[in-house]
């Protein structure tokens, strides 16, 4: 035991608890649980050699699922944690996995007030955990949830349960496989006779051997069995004998004396002097600190947005909109910077942030590798007001976090003098399609970047006088007269320009520069570059482990390949402890260019998407966001031309992440658009059972009725009108439930247009126009005005 204690670092260890971990607290073994259940059967099987799963299958057939789940829960609910298991929260385990149904681990963590997020099914992956909370995977389910109680998840009691629960077990072992690549694995409480342990250890060691990673596999067995231990050791595992109590006691004794004493001191929650909540420190960039880093003007020339250090070094030019945005944020708490991809929104926003930062106490940029947490920023704004401080926050490419942005906007809009200013950037098309808080419009201004103005181009040309920039500019361009330089830039700098000075000044088209650069790489580097480009183009949060899984890469050869991609693919820290290192190209527009050429064949694109879904580890939040992006982005599943394949892939995402609303929304919409109305109706029912009601599902119910009225064969005209009137009533109800959702008014208007087209009057359309007009003064989104004008145009046609 002393040897094992000396080797273990809990912070770098994933812990797997088997049945033996709960037995000291009074939980029955699997055999004992089966025996107790057998007492209720007729005839009893208590004296037979039936396995637990066989006993449970017989029990369910005789007495029903609810009775089975209730009896198992009753037998385990009263078990209280005793002994060493109570020490689990004293150590910073990387992650915990368990095969037990009981709630001992949850109770000891709750008692210790240590945050724990429990994963019992794939639905739990959609529940956002607090930063720093320990994840606990209950691989066999939990007594708190079962289909017998009306839940969507289940305990693995019968053989049939293993089949029904396969998706979660696959996801859990995907997470475990990822952990084995970078962490040690300690298995406690599993008998060495257990075939599941044998399979788990074999798979763990296979993964470790294949990847060449330094992680170790430890097995702590209670019953001494030297011969079986030798078998596991022969495969590369380290086997020790002892109990969980002795292990945790030994770990506690190994701590310094001051750490052995439980501390009642609360953790530091304030990061002085900025007042930023601790949970935000690691997911936010401090602009003032970022200015002090080394600039990299060559990266800007190659397509990357300018960093704060580049701006501070004078390597960027000031856009003509700059002053207006700064003035706006001095008067109103919100500003939105819109434009096409690559037009320079991020660089301009960072310039503005630095300007405003000179007049406030702190300037921050949210790191998009992490979800935006509105509750923490609202708390931060309150702290700022309390201490008489002011700050500004930049949320770049904010559409993916728009619901959280809207919550922040709601809070700022309700305060008379908020202490936080928020600067947002977004691509115009995505921004217009999404519903936003009305306070974004009532307490903010929007600015659109498009073509470079004459002043912008002159400022850009002045940069060529700087030595650091002049050496990067093409000599033939420098030799041109100033007027000719101006003319060339004027022609090339359109709304979709690449914010990349090297490429603006180049004498040939950018696509060919990028393709030539790609062709000069080794094959292994090309594979990484095109995969990272495809993922980034579809809006994924790319990181090292995801690409390794996707391409089957080994860790040993990765460093050299990544070195050959210097300046093309950049690696940065996300959460090093979790083995998360982000990868990005120089610019998302460049990534889209590479992806467009290198995945031009539909079959190859299809294979990429299927492999990506199969590679996603839903325990990693970045990969859940990747799955969402795959369903919604222009470069995602919609790029496939085969509608059937689109639906098949969306089904795979829904099975992987059944609690996520976006994949279900996209699946239903595709089925409706393909006129597969019965399938769409079934998926709507499934979605209603799996996720919370929301305006999108409500609108799809109305849209489905409209399509049925149009397409169902054999109906009389009066029946079609009756269906549309039912749809109108439902659409009107959506407006009542979701009055601030502008799309609710659009769907109501669509039903009115359909009724008018069937000669059923214009009353519904007129009512939709009236309601939209009233909502415009409250919602303030210009897109709602466009919806209302379209309805008025249709009304004139009907008249």
């Amino acid at each position: 035991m002393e040897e094992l204690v000396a080797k273990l670092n809990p912070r770098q260890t994933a812990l797997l608890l088997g049945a033996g971990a709960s037995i000291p607290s009074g939980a029955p073994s699997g055999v004992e649980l089966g025996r107790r259940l057998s007492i209720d059967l007729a005839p009893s099987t208590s004296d037979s050699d039936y396995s637990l799963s066989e006993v449970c299958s017989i029990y369910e057939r005789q007495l029903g699922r609810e009775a089975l789940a209730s009896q198992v829960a009753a037998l385990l609910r009263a078990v209280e944690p005793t002994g060493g298991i109570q020490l689990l929260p004293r150590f910073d385990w990387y992650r915990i996995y368990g095969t037990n149904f009981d709630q001992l681990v949850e109770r000891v963590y709750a008692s210790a007030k240590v945050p724990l997020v429990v994963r019992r099914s794939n639905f739990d992956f959609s529940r956002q955990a607090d930063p720093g909370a320990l994840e606990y995977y209950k691989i066999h389910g939990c007594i708190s949830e079962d289909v017998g109680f009306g839940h969507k998840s289940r305990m693995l009691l019968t053989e049939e349960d293993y089949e029904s629960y396969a998706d979660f077990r696959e996801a859990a072992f995907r997470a475990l496989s990822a952990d084995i690549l970078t962490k040690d694995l300690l298995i406690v409480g599993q008998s060495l006779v257990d075939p599941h342990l044998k399979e788990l250890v074999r798979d763990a060691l296979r993964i470790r051997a294949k990847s060449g990673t330094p992680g170790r596999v430890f097995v702590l067995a209670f019953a001494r069995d030297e011969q079986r231990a030798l078998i596991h050791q022969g495969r590369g595992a380290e086997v020790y004998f002892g109990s969980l109590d002795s292990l945790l006691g030994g770990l506690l004794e190994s701590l310094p004396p001051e750490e052995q004493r439980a501390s009642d001191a609360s953790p530091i929650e304030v990061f002085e002097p900025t007042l930023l909540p601790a949970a935000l420190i690691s997911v936010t960039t401090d602009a003032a600190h970022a200015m002090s880093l080394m600039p990299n003007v060559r990266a800007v020339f190659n397509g990357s947005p300018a960093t704060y250090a580049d701006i501070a070094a004078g390597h960027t030019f000031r856009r003509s909109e700059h002053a207006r945005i700064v003035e706006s944020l001095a008067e109103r708490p919100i500003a939105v910077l819109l434009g096409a991809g690559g037009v320079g929104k991020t660089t301009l926003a960072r310039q503005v942030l630095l300007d405003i930062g000179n007049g406030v106490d702190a300037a921050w940029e949210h790191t998009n590798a992490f979800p935006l947490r509105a509750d923490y920023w609202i708390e931060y704004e309150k702290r700022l007001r309390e201490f008489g401080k002011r700050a500004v926050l930049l949320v770049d490419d904010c559409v993916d976090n728009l619901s959280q942005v809207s919550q922040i906007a709601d809070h700022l809009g309700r305060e008379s003098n908020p202490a936080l200013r928020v600067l947002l950037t977004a691509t115009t098309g995505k921004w217009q399609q999404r519903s936003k808080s009305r306070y974004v419009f009532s307490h903010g201004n929007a600015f659109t970047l498009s073509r470079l103005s004459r002043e912008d181009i002159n400022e850009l040309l002045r940069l060529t006088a700087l030595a650091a920039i002049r050496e990067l500019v093409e000599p033939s361009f420098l030799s041109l007269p100033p007027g000719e330089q101006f003319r060339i830039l004027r022609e090339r700098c359109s709304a979709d320009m690449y914010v990349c000075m090297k490429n603006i000044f180049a004498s040939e088209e950018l696509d060919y520069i990028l393709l030539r650069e790609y062709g000069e790489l080794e094959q292994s580097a090309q594979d990484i570059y095109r995969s990272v480009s495809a993922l980034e183009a579809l809006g994924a949060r790319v990181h090292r482990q995801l690409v390794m899984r996707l391409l089957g890469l080994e860790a040993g050869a990765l460093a050299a390949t990544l070195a050959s991609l210097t300046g093309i693919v950049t690696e940065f820290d996300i959460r090093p402890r979790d083995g998360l290192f982000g990868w990005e190209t120089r610019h998302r527009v460049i990534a889209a260019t590479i992806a467009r050429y290198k995945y031009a064949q539909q079959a190859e694109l299809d294979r990429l998407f299927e492999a990506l879904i199969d590679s996603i580890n839903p325990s990693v939040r970045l990969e859940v966001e990747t799955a969402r992006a795959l369903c919604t982005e222009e470069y995602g599943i919609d790029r496939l031309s085969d509608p059937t394949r689109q639906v098949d892939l969306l089904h795979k995402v829904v099975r992987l992440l059944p609690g996520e609303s976006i994949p279900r929304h996209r699946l239903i919409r595709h089925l409706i658009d393909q006129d597969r109305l019965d399938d769409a109706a079934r998926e709507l029912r499934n979605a209603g059972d799996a996720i919370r009601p929301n305006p999108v599902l409500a609108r799809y119910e109305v849209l489905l009725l409209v399509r049925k009225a149009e397409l169902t064969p054999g109906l009389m005209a009066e029946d079609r009108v009756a269906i549309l009137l039912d749809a109108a009533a439902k659409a009107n109800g959506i407006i009542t439930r979701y009055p601030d959702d502008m799309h609710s008014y659009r769907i109501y208007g669509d039903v009115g247009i359909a009724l008018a087209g069937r000669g059923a009057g214009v009353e519904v359309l007129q009512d939709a126009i009236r309601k939209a007009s009233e909502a415009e003064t409250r919602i303030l989104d210009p897109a709602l005005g466009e919806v209302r004008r379209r309805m008025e145009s249709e009304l004139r046609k009907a008249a």
Side-chain angles (χ1 to χ4, degrees), residues 1-13:
M1 188 57 65
E2 290 80 4
E3 181 182 343
L4 176 59
V5 167
K7 289 183 176 181
L8 274 182
N9 175 4
R11 186 177 176 82
Q12 294 295 319
T13 303

Side-chain angles (χ1 to χ4, degrees), residues 359-423:
V360 297
D361 298 287
W364 308 101
E365 179 179 342
H366 169 67
T367 304
N368 275 336
F370 302 90
L372 181 69
R373 291 294 301 270
D375 50 349
Y376 286 113
W377 285 106
I378 291 170
E379 174 192 345
Y380 177 52
E381 192 279 331
K382 293 176 181 177
R383 290 183 181 182
L384 289 171
R385 275 190 287 119
E386 180 183 352
F387 286 88
K389 305 286 187 180
R390 299 178 70 81
V392 59
L393 167 66
L394 166 61
V395 184
D396 191 31
D397 196 15
C398 72
V399 173
D400 289 341
N401 289 298
L402 201 50
S403 63
Q404 297 295 307
V405 166
S406 291
Q407 290 182 39
I408 297 172
D410 287 346
H411 172 75
L412 298 180
R414 296 187 185 109
E415 296 297 331
S416 58
N417 186 24
L420 181 67
R421 294 289 190 264
V422 177
L423 176 59

Side-chain angles (χ1 to χ4, degrees), residues 723-762:
I723 294 173
L724 289 174
L725 289 173
D726 184 23
K730 289 182 181 296
N732 197 18
I734 296 174
I735 291 175
T736 302
R737 293 198 304 277
Y738 307 106
D740 292 333
D741 177 27
M742 69 173 181
H743 298 294
S744 301
Y745 302 91
R746 177 183 53 77
I747 194 67
Y748 190 32
D750 288 345
V751 178
I753 292 169
L755 281 166
R758 292 198 169 272
V762 295

Side-chain angles (χ1 to χ4, degrees), residues 452-525:
L452 292 179
S453 67
R454 178 177 295 273
E455 293 78 12
D456 292 338
I457 295 177
N458 285 329
E459 289 292 322
L460 177 54
L461 289 172
R462 288 192 189 99
L463 283 178
T464 61
L466 299 177
I469 292 176
R470 192 174 184 83
E471 66 182 23
L472 300 175
V473 180
E474 191 175 275
S476 61
F477 181 86
L478 290 174
S479 66
L480 296 173
E484 183 64 12
Q485 291 178 346
F486 183 91
R487 185 191 64 80
I488 290 175
L489 293 187
R490 186 68 174 172
E491 289 176 357
R492 295 190 180 187
C493 296
S494 60
D496 61 350
M497 76 167 192
Y498 296 66
V499 187
C500 170
M501 293 178 61
K502 170 186 172 182
N503 295 321
I504 290 175
F505 292 161
S507 59
E508 60 181 318
E509 291 186 35
L510 176 60
D511 286 10
Y512 300 122
I513 296 173
L514 295 174
L515 293 174
R516 185 177 296 111
E517 176 186 65
Y518 180 95
E520 292 170 354
L521 299 172
E522 296 291 335
Q523 181 64 50
S524 58

Side-chain angles (χ1 to χ4, degrees), residues 36-208:
R36 295 188 191 181
L37 290 172
S38 297
I39 297 173
D40 296 337
L41 300 179
S44 173
T45 59
S46 57
D47 296 326
S48 69
D49 57 356
Y50 286 119
S51 67
L52 174 61
S53 62
E54 290 172 327
V55 171
C56 289
S57 296
I58 297 170
Y59 198 113
E60 183 173 357
R61 280 198 299 272
Q62 287 190 13
L63 302 174
R65 180 69 187 201
E66 182 179 3
L68 170 63
S70 297
Q71 184 64 1
V72 171
L75 291 171
L76 297 177
R77 192 175 290 118
V79 177
E80 292 291 338
T82 56
I85 198 169
Q86 297 177 92
L87 294 176
L88 278 179
R90 296 296 308 276
F91 306 98
D92 188 15
W93 302 103
Y94 176 71
R95 188 173 280 136
I96 298 180
Y97 299 84
T99 59
N100 301 325
F101 306 130
D102 60 63
Q103 295 182 297
L104 293 175
V105 173
E106 294 94 311
R107 290 179 184 177
V108 297
Y109 274 85
S111 177
K113 295 182 172 57
V114 176
L116 182 76
V117 57
V118 182
R119 310 291 193 197
R120 292 156 296 215
S121 73
N122 281 25
F123 289 95
D124 290 326
F125 291 124
S126 299
R127 299 171 186 169
Q128 189 164 310
D130 289 334
L134 175 69
E135 284 187 305
Y136 175 32
Y137 281 76
K138 306 196 75 168
I139 299 173
H140 290 173
C142 179
I143 59 173
S144 63
E145 293 187 1
D146 191 81
V147 291
F149 306 142
H151 299 109
K152 294 178 283 290
S153 59
R154 62 177 65 224
M155 290 181 277
L156 267 67
L157 299 171
T158 69
E159 293 296 333
E160 292 77 11
D161 289 335
Y162 278 84
E163 298 174 7
S164 301
Y165 212 54
D167 286 338
F168 177 64
R169 283 172 57 81
E170 179 184 347
F173 280 102
R174 222 180 263 184
L176 181 58
S177 297
D179 290 349
I180 293 169
L181 291 175
T182 56
K183 302 291 178 290
D184 293 335
L185 173 65
L186 171 62
I187 303 172
V188 179
Q190 288 280 92
S191 166
L192 291 179
V193 184
D194 190 333
H196 293 296
L197 173 63
K198 189 182 300 182
E199 181 180 348
L200 179 65
V201 172
R202 185 192 67 230
D203 290 346
L205 294 171
R206 177 182 52 79
I207 293 169
R208 183 189 127 189

